[in-house]
């Protein structure tokens, strides 16, 4: 059974600090990895995608992927109160056919002013 | 570019009643997904369509849930009869190639 594991938190980080969110997955056939942000009562919003080992940076966000360790992380630099949300890690086995996302339960992040 | 549209936003029904949700994907997106998100959990895939064909419905409770995507555009998800444990947010997402984008969801409460 495919599983995606995240620490549910809450993870509390001071404003301006770096928030580090982690995710592990069990399906070695996973090829695409995503981070979604979900505010309370809202739908998931895609913030980062990563497909190959290493780091991918986009503004204050950096996604890191290590396929050998089956590990994905998201770093948020200069954390702002508006970053307070639940962050969902999602993985996908691509290559045609069934390719729906498998989500973790999410990490609740709180940025303290 | 318009996003994924869903309706209704909220629905309250009694158990054993039926309910239907509607989704209009982003224009040009061939792939459409329905997810169920129970409070405190991540979204769980129910069904995936590629154009108007079903690609994956392995996690759809077929005794009570059904879905269709006529003409490869809009989709409806139906629950009949509803159970208390069906209370959740039902999310529709669409994808062109790799990235999936979600609609605002329909919050269903079964009482």
């Amino acid at each position: 059974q495919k599983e995606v594991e995240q620490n549910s938190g809450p993870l509390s980080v001071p404003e301006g600090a770096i928030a580090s969110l982690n995710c592990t997955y069990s399906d070695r056939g996973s090829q695409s990895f995503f981070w979604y942000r979900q505010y309370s009562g809202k739908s998931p919003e895609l913030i980062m995608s990563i497909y190959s080992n290493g780091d991918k940076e986009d503004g204050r966000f950096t996604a890191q992927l290590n396929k050998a360790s089956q590990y994905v992380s998201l770093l948020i630099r200069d954390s702002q109160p508006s970053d307070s949300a639940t962050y969902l890690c999602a993985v996908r086995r691509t290559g045609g056919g069934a390719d729906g996302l498998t989500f973790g339960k999410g990490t609740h992040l709180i940025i303290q002013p | 570019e318009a996003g994924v549209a869903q309706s209704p936003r909220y629905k309250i029904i009694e158990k054993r009643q039926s309910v239907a949700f509607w989704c209009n994907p982003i224009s040009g997106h061939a792939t459409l997904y329905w997810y169920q998100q129970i409070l405190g959990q991540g979204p769980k895939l129910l069904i995936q369509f590629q154009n108007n064909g079903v690609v994956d419905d392995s996690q759809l409770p077929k005794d009570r849930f059904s879905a269709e995507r006529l003409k490869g555009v809009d989709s409806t998800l139906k629950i009949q009869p509803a159970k208390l444990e069906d209370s959740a947010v039902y999310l529709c997402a669409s994808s062109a190639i790799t990235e999936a984008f979600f609609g605002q969801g329909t919050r269903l409460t079964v009482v």
Side-chain angles (χ1 to χ4, degrees):
Chain A
Q1 184 176 356
K2 305 172 192 176
E3 291 185 351
V4 177
E5 299 288 339
Q6 295 182 256
N7 188 322
S8 61
L11 174 64
S12 185
V13 174
E15 182 176 357
I18 296 174
S20 178
L21 306 166
N22 304 313
C23 169
T24 59
Y25 59 94
S26 63
D27 183 5
R28 287 195 171 274
S30 301
Q31 298 180 19
S32 304
F33 306 86
F34 306 89
W35 285 98
Y36 285 81
R37 178 177 62 198
Q38 187 172 31
Y39 293 114
S40 181
K42 303 295 186 181
S43 63
E45 173 192 9
L46 180 65
I47 55 171
M48 289 289 287
S49 59
I50 187 166
Y51 306 102
S52 57
N53 282 329
D55 295 359
K56 179 182 178 182
E57 185 175 323
D58 184 0
R60 295 187 297 111
F61 299 96
T62 298
Q64 299 174 317
L65 173 62
N66 184 325
K67 290 185 179 179
S69 300
Q70 297 175 244
Y71 179 89
V72 193
S73 66
L74 179 71
L75 300 177
I76 306 175
R77 290 182 300 280
D78 188 23
S79 297
Q80 302 297 310
S82 60
D83 295 325
S84 297
T86 295
Y87 288 80
L88 297 164
C89 174
V91 306
R92 166 187 281 164
R93 171 191 285 265
T94 52
D99 65 355
L101 295 169
T102 300
F103 283 87
K105 292 184 177 181
T107 297
H108 183 41
L109 176 66
I110 299 172
I111 306 300
Q112 293 185 324
Chain B
E1 179 182 79
V4 178
Q6 290 189 245
S7 68
R9 289 296 310 278
Y10 306 92
K11 191 74 177 179
I12 301 174
I13 62 172
E14 295 182 350
K15 60 183 179 183
R16 293 188 291 274
Q17 286 188 324
S18 62
V19 64
F21 313 124
W22 173 83
C23 173
N24 181 248
I26 294 172
S27 177
H29 282 194
T31 307
L32 184 149
Y33 310 87
W34 283 100
Y35 288 85
Q36 178 194 58
Q37 187 174 24
I38 293 172
L39 187 65
Q41 304 289 318
K44 172 189 166 186
L45 179 68
L46 293 176
I47 189 167
Q48 175 187 349
F49 292 95
Q50 182 76 18
N51 295 309
N52 62 348
V54 175
V55 176
D56 183 5
D57 63 357
S58 59
Q59 299 187 89
L60 186 73
K62 298 181 186 64
D63 58 334
R64 298 184 301 106
F65 286 63
S66 64
E68 62 181 6
R69 189 183 185 195
L70 299 176
K71 301 180 181 178
V73 181
D74 294 5
S75 178
T76 57
L77 176 69
K78 298 179 181 178
I79 307 175
Q80 181 178 18
K83 293 185 175 182
L84 296 177
E85 59 260 36
D86 298 331
S87 294
V89 176
Y90 290 85
L91 295 161
C92 179
S94 70
S95 174
I97 300 177
T98 55
E99 297 180 343
F101 300 93
F102 285 84
Q104 289 302 302
T106 297
R107 182 177 299 276
L108 173 67
T109 302
V110 182
V111 297

